[in-house]
Every structure is written in C-alpha cells, then in structure tokens.
Amino acid sequence: MEILSSKTARTPSASTPVLNSECAYSFHSPFTSTSGILVNLSNFVGFHPDAVKAQPQLIDSDVCYLRIVKRKELKAPESTEPSGSTEQESQSSQQPTKLALGKEGGFKSDEDKYDTISTYSMVAFDTDGNVATELPYDDTTKSSFPAYIVESADGVISHTGLVMQQDVKEWELDEDPKPVSKYALSLEFVDNGVQISPDASTWKCAKSGDTENLWLNLSDGFIGGGRKFWDGSGGSNGALDHFLETGEKYPLVVKLGTITSDVTSADCYSYAKDEDGPVLIPNLADLLAKRGINVAAMKKTDKSIAEMEVELNATYAFDAITEESEALTPVHGPGLQGLQNLGNSCYINSVVQTLFSGTIRELSSRYGVPSAGDVFDQSLLRTTSTDATNDLLCQTAKLATALTSGKYMSPSTDDAEIRIAPRMFKHVVGCNHVDFKTGQQQDAAQYMQFFLESLDRAEKGAGSRLKNKDDESAGTPISSSLFAYKTVDRLECSADNRVKYREGAAETVLTLRVPMEAATIVEAETPSQKRPKNEDSDAPSSETKESVPTVSMKACIDAWAATSEVDDYRWPHMENNVHPGSVYSRMSNFPRYLVVQVQRYTIGDDWVPKKLEVNIDTPEEIDLSFLKSTGPKDGELLVPEEAEKPKDEKPASPAVDEGALVQLMDMGFSMNGCMRALTTVGGSNVEAAMTWIFEHNQDPDFNDPLPESGTGGASQAPASGSEVDEAVVMSLVENLGCFTSDQVRAALKQTGGAADRAADWLFSHMDDLDGAIAALEPSSSTNTADQVAPESNEVLEDGDGKYILTGMISHIGKNTNSGHYVCHLKKDGRWVIFNDEKVALSKSPPFQHAYMYLFQRADTIGSSPNLAF
C-alpha cells in the first residue's frame, strides 16, 4: 500500500475522455483475456498489457493503474412452462412475439441473457516496467486505499467512457440544439418542505418504487420514473403521470442521476405541450439548491437520454427480425472477421472490408499483420498514448490488424466479448466531415474517396513511421496510388479540325452512368433461380417479380468513352470565340485496382433522388484495352500550346461551403462539377449552383478538377502541407486566450489544419507544450510531406487493360443515404458475403445489383504484390 500511496492519480470529470472499455491500440477489451486492460489513472488511456510492445512508454512508474477484467456468465433459463409441456411448445413460447427489446414477449438483450462479472485491481510498476504491486480493489478493500486513489478509480469505473461519448456525440449531431425553456425563469416553486438527499440510494419513484431512471419535478420536488421508450423499455412513466395529475402546472423535470457540477450536462425535460422535449434550464442550480441539492457535490450515477438511445439502437436485434430466407454457411478466420454495426455504419464496414481484409494485399501488408500474427507487431501503432485515439494511421492499423490476424475470430456473432466495433476508426476519419461525423447513413463511394484522401494526407506526413519496404531510399507510395488513374480528353474544334489533348488529375473511382437507352428486357427469374433475400433485398420475390431492364457493363463503359458534341466551347486559339466541337475520354494508365461506381441513382421529376430499376450485366472479366490513350495521332493538327496560356492571373475563387457541396453531390453530380458550379456562384448558393449545372453539365470540362489557383478556401488547402490558414491561427489565439500564435500554428500543422483538433491537441499537451512542439519541428523542418512523393509527381502504375472482378459493394434501399450496405469479396476462389458481423459463403453473388465493383488487373493476379507497401 505504501507503494501506491506515492503514485499519481487524478479524478476524471464527466467530460474527460476515459478509455475504460477498449484498448487504444487494439480491440482487446476487459472481456477478451484474463489480463483485461490497464487504465492509466493520470491520462485515463486504457491499453492491453501486450500493447507495451508497440509503445513502451505506456508504463509510467510514477502513475497508478486500474486493471479491469470482465467476463459474462450465461444466466440460468427461467422455466415458466407447466409440467408436461412438450419441447416444441416450450421453444415456441420463448420466441419473440412483439417488437420490443428486454421486455416480456420481446427480444432478449445482453442483460437478459448474461450476468457481467467485473474484477478490479490497483497496479503499480517499478522503473523497469515490471509490476511492483497489484492489490484487489472492491467494496471490501477500497477503504484501505488512499482517498484520492479511491476517487480516481471510482470515477473511471463509473465513467461513461470515450467509446460511449463518441457515440453520444454522433447521436446528438443528428438532433436539433436544445432550446432554453421559456418556463425556466418564471417557474412556480411549491414551498412544501421537500428536501432531496444527495445519497442516490435513497431515491425512488413515489408511484412505482423504481430506483432507476428517476426524474425530479423542479416545482414540487416529486420524484417519478421516466417515460417509456418506443419499444416499451425505459421507466414507469411516474413523472409524466404526476404532471398530468397536477393539472399540467409543473412542466420542468431533471434526471437525478445526471446532475453534476457541470449543470449544462444534466438531462432536463419540459412536459409542456408547446415544448414537450429536452430543454436547457439556465437557473437549474438555483432551483436544485431550493431542494437541498448542492450541484458541486453531485456525481453522475445514471445514463443520459442520449446514452440510453445509443445503447438501445446499438443492441437492437435487427437481423433477428428480418430473418433471411436462405441459410448460408458461416466462415471465420484471418480475413473473414465481421464488424459490428454501430448504427448506420454498414457503409463504413463494407468499405473497410474491401480495402483491408486481404483482397488488396498491399494495404493488408501496410496496415495489417500476417495471418495469426501478433497485432502489436504493427509498427504504425507506435504513437503516444494521448495521440493514439486521434491518430488516423494508428486507428487504421488497429482495425486492419483485427481483420487480417484472426485474433478476434469467433464462429458465433453472439459472443459479445470479442465483437469488433470500429468506433475509434469511425470517429477519427469522420470527426471533421459534416456528414461522416454523424450517426446517419452515408454514401459508400463518397466515403471511400474521402477516406483515401484523408489517408493520403496522413501518410505524406508520417515521416519515418512509414517507409518503402522494398527500397527505403526511395519515396514511399501513398495508398491511393493503387487505385489512381488519369483520363485524357481529346477535344476537336469543328472550325479548323485542330485537336487538343487534356490530361486530368488523378482519380480513384471510375463513375459510370447507366445508359437506359441501351437496356434490354430479360425475362423474370424462375423460382428455382430465386436469389437469397439477404443478398438482393431490392428485388421482389420471383413469384411476383416483373421484368427488369438489363444494361451490360460494356454498354456503361462505352457510354463513358463515347464521343459527345460540344456546342458552346470557347477555343483559345480562335481568340476565345465559340465554336462547336467534339470530345471523348480515354485512360492514360490502368491502375492495379480499379474501383467502378455505377450511378444507379438519378433525380426524378420531383427533384428527389430515386433508384434506377435496372440490372447491370457484369462479367467477372473485362477488357479495357481499347480505352488506353495513345496520344496525338499522325497527321493531327494540334491546338498551339502558347494559345492555352492565360494573359491575366485569375482572381482567387471563393471558399466552397462543404454542406452545399454535399447537397449537390447527393443529387448525383460529380464532386468536380459541383465544385465548379459553387465556385462560379459564390461558394454556397445551392439554388444558383443547380441552375448553373443544368446550363453547363454538358461542358467538356464540367467534370475536370478546378485549377490550383481557383480552388480557394481553407477547406481545399492541402492539410498536410507546411502552410496553415492565418485567419484560423488568429481566431484560435483570440478565442482560446492562452496560447501564442506560434503554438497554435504548430498545432494546426500537426492536425491537418482542423481548428477543433488543433485546440484539443494544445490542451492535451499543456503539461509540456514547448517540448511537444519541439518534437514536431524535425519533421516540419525537413518538410516530410513534400519528400513523400506528392500526388502531382506520383508515377502511376500501369499495365495490361484486362481486369478480374474481386469485390462488390451492394446497396439495399431507395437512395445511398438510407438503407443498408453489404460487400462481397472473392477469397481463395470463393465469393464471401460480409454483412456487418455476419460473414458467410455466398450462394448467389449479386453481380447484377452491385453499386461499386472492385477489379484487379489480370497481370497482377498470381504475382507478387507491390513490395513497396
């Protein structure tokens, strides 16, 4: 005990990030091994003991650690059947009979099926990193520990935790901001002598006697149970019933277990008919003081509404409700690891499985580990404990090692102890994106492009963490180079037949429209050809299925490559006069992997996106050799190059509003076209941009990237470069008030220019801010980002134009921002379906119905991967 008394331990507040349910570097949790996880009681980062291999500095001999170990024990089944019941009758009575969770007749929650046994101990290490002492910590022993350690440990044990905080934040982003109740300042107070004890064990509903989910009426001091959720769970409804019984005079209530010194975090609700929802009560502390509650001494003991909603949505048994019509054979192992759906995160799961589960060997090599390998051998995990949860390379490696190692594989998706929930990955990728930071469904194609762009920036700034494995003296290729291709447009002027060749910027997704004019009608499938419901839920059953048009993938490719007429193009060599012309596109290189997105969605007459009812006849082998650009042909007259040079420098374009950009892209237009439209109309006017798009969407340069000088705006600045937006610097200096401009500038460079992340970085390194900045300077001074082959100078891989289909991402739903995503990947010659946590051999891969297709260049199959990765 004397050893522990000399160790550091802090008490977390309700808003402190506490990692008490998952290792920062792996998917180990308190359940996955008898070693559990260790939580540093100074910075509150949790880690598995083996993570020390990746980051030796995790062990600090001056700090006290809390070990958390948990296990689940199956509850004994409750027998309510009368004697003499048959086994069939018994099983039938246990089947769900209503849409509810954790209620009689509904689906069983984990709490219904298991008892969770938690064990805690206090750990101290010596200067060599060995355990110096470990003492059990429970209700019988805690009195022997110093008070400050007890307060710290209890705070960690009862804390919501970083994982839940991130989920709650996503939930709250989907909600409107809470209004201030108009009844707060003039609320009637009944002086009836009721005083509320600070001891939570004395609280109970005055009607039902319930001791959980309790709400205090701020007018008369009545304690009642909370309202029921949509599935029947929740509270006893005592607080609402009391409001109605008292003539609806006392509308404001607060949830007792959520009151802390930060009164703004307490759950407050108004039952008034003109509010009827969560509200803010600015004078809450004063109202509580009248009932004897000192908010400064209160601690959080209950879940907030948002936390309960997140938990309910995360555990709801959707798959059990939508029982699949065809039994598939489950598979598990390295590269066959399912991922938990966090609530509308199937688009993330599908993209991640496609990129990192082994189909793309180079990414598995860079971010994963060999089959059955140690997850902590991955060098990209080696970052400080305070940075690990917000480090994109670290969290990508953490997820990829889980997929490739087989460490967490289980034949049962019901085993909650080893479920892979990519919460930290989701947060670090999407935290600065207007859509991907929410808990709503998103477009998988947009997410893949955004993720690859984010990964490129992180890789370019990785310095010595990321090296060329084939030749360390050579530049390190970025991950998007595996998919990158450039297009070459050939424009011909009708006035003089001169030709102009224009190469576009590198792209990672080939987007194909569906030429419905080329559709043919194929007879409906017979019952014997019926597709499994789980793999093609868009299609009605074969008994009632109408004939659906079919368009071949070849027709889609031909439409992309076809020559189109240009009516109003200004030709620089013709003194910028308008003359008709023609244009077609070809590919300048064939990447190792080609991602094809089929535009299955269009804008209807009512301006609402709708899904095209069409099958895409997609073979497993395609030949794109005819798309290869051959450059100028003999005898062609080229547009003089000097005529292309602008006489005057163009003014900087306005900053493009990200929300407006997303709205336009959701209507089915390309990002470059939407960027061009918004830049033309001032940056944010969606209606004006739509008008411009309809007038110019046939322009030959409509889908071309904007020139460097015209992109403007902080959002388009290279995040990994040495430049930062000085306006953001000055804004942070003024708003934060405790940092110099040099410190803020360094933080912005480290966090890719994101203001909120820069502020977090500054506050998290306040103990030694100058030292932390000094540690960044070597990589900044050597301009590491520029050394790692900038995209403009990246030599793109090329080869034969024949491709083999190796993966598909399919979408079920009316538009890409709703419904459900699954992916199919070819593993050892067999197609496997990845439906979140369910991984199984596919019986009928949906070749005709996929939204995105992954092809691998045929000349790379069976050969060594790109060894630079």
Side-chain angles (χ1 to χ4, degrees), residues 68-79:
I68 305 176
V69 181
K70 296 184 179 182
R71 72 179 192 277
K72 288 184 180 291
E73 290 187 353
L74 192 63
K75 291 182 178 180
E78 297 180 4
S79 178

Side-chain angles (χ1 to χ4, degrees), residues 10-186:
R10 298 192 300 116
T11 301
S13 67
S15 58
T16 302
V18 175
L19 200 52
N20 56 8
S21 61
E22 184 177 295
C23 171
Y25 298 92
S26 72
F27 285 95
H28 285 289
S29 74
F31 291 100
T32 52
S33 73
T34 55
S35 300
I37 63 172
L38 293 167
V39 180
N40 182 312
L41 294 185
S42 177
N43 61 22
F44 308 112
V45 174
F47 59 91
H48 187 272
D50 288 348
V52 176
K53 298 177 184 177
Q55 186 51 259
Q57 294 178 349
L58 286 172
I59 300 300
D60 186 341
S61 61
D62 295 327
V63 174
C64 188
Y65 293 80
L66 175 68
R67 189 189 299 274
I68 305 176
V69 181
K70 296 184 179 182
R71 72 179 192 277
K72 288 184 180 291
E73 290 187 353
L74 192 63
K75 291 182 178 180
E78 297 180 4
S79 178
T80 57
E81 295 299 315
S83 58
S85 297
T86 66
E87 181 178 351
Q88 183 177 2
E89 290 172 336
S90 177
Q91 291 177 350
S92 177
S93 68
Q94 295 175 16
Q95 296 299 316
T97 58
K98 65 179 181 180
L99 189 62
L101 179 68
K103 292 293 181 180
E104 183 178 354
F107 295 95
K108 287 187 176 182
S109 66
D110 270 0
E111 288 74 15
D112 296 323
K113 294 187 283 188
Y114 301 98
D115 286 319
T116 299
I117 311 300
S118 302
T119 305
Y120 307 98
S121 58
M122 304 304 304
V123 183
F125 292 89
D126 59 26
T127 55
D128 294 326
N130 300 314
V131 175
T133 185
E134 181 165 1
L135 300 173
Y137 182 84
D138 53 38
D139 290 338
T140 60
T141 63
K142 67 168 58 179
S143 61
S144 61
F145 290 90
Y148 77 98
I149 290 181
V150 172
E151 190 170 347
S152 176
D154 286 350
V156 169
I157 292 170
S158 62
H159 202 278
T160 299
L162 177 64
V163 167
M164 178 63 79
Q165 284 176 329
Q166 290 175 348
D167 280 359
V168 169
K169 183 64 176 176
E170 291 168 5
W171 172 263
E172 291 172 344
L173 283 167
D174 297 339
E175 299 294 310
D176 294 328
K178 295 179 185 178
V180 174
S181 174
K182 64 182 180 182
Y183 299 99
L185 298 180
S186 60

Side-chain angles (χ1 to χ4, degrees), residues 22 110 141 143 171 179 221 262 299-300 399 403 407 456 531 631 671 721 731 770 780 785:
E22 184 177 295
D110 270 0
T141 63
S143 61
W171 172 263
D262 179 11
K299 295 188 182 298
K300 190 171 183 293
L399 184 52
L403 297 179
K407 176 70 176 178
D456 284 351
R531 294 185 181 276
M671 182 175 69
S731 175
D770 291 336
S780 299

Side-chain angles (χ1 to χ4, degrees), residues 415-451:
D415 193 343
E417 299 180 9
I418 53 176
R419 299 173 76 181
I420 305 302
R423 290 186 177 89
M424 292 185 200
F425 175 84
K426 181 180 189 295
H427 173 75
V428 74
V429 173
C431 61
N432 293 315
H433 190 279
V434 65
D435 288 320
F436 299 138
K437 66 183 178 182
T438 71
Q440 298 174 344
Q441 185 70 275
Q442 303 299 334
D443 186 331
Q446 291 180 16
Y447 182 79
M448 177 180 283
Q449 289 175 300
F450 175 77
F451 171 63

Side-chain angles (χ1 to χ4, degrees), residues 613-684:
E613 291 294 334
V614 60
N615 296 331
I616 305 298
D617 187 9
T618 305
E620 293 194 58
E621 298 182 17
I622 60 173
D623 189 349
L624 303 182
S625 301
F626 72 99
L627 291 182
K628 190 64 175 285
S629 173
T630 57
K633 301 178 179 64
D634 291 340
E636 284 184 336
L637 295 177
L638 301 181
V639 172
E641 291 186 14
E642 57 271 15
E644 296 297 314
K645 297 178 181 179
K647 296 179 181 179
D648 301 311
E649 191 69 22
K650 292 184 179 180
S653 301
V656 171
D657 181 77
E658 190 176 12
L661 178 63
V662 170
Q663 287 185 53
L664 291 175
M665 289 178 65
D666 285 344
M667 296 179 185
F669 302 106
S670 71
M671 182 175 69
N672 289 335
C674 296
M675 287 278 293
R676 191 174 291 275
L678 285 168
T679 301
T680 303
V681 301
S684 60

Side-chain angles (χ1 to χ4, degrees), residues 342-383:
L342 307 177
N344 290 326
S345 67
C346 52
Y347 70 97
I348 297 176
N349 292 348
S350 296
V351 169
V352 166
Q353 294 284 13
T354 301
L355 295 178
F356 297 110
S357 68
T359 301
I360 299 175
R361 295 176 293 171
E362 291 79 4
L363 294 184
S364 298
S365 172
R366 172 169 287 182
Y367 288 98
V369 293
S371 175
D374 189 335
V375 296
F376 297 113
D377 286 343
Q378 170 54 252
S379 61
L380 289 174
L381 296 176
R382 291 167 191 162
T383 186

Side-chain angles (χ1 to χ4, degrees), residues 560-583:
W560 178 85
T563 300
S564 58
E565 301 301 319
V566 182
D567 295 327
D568 56 353
Y569 189 76
R570 294 187 181 276
W571 297 91
H573 73 291
M574 303 288 288
E575 298 182 352
N576 279 329
N577 288 323
V578 174
H579 292 283
S582 61
V583 60

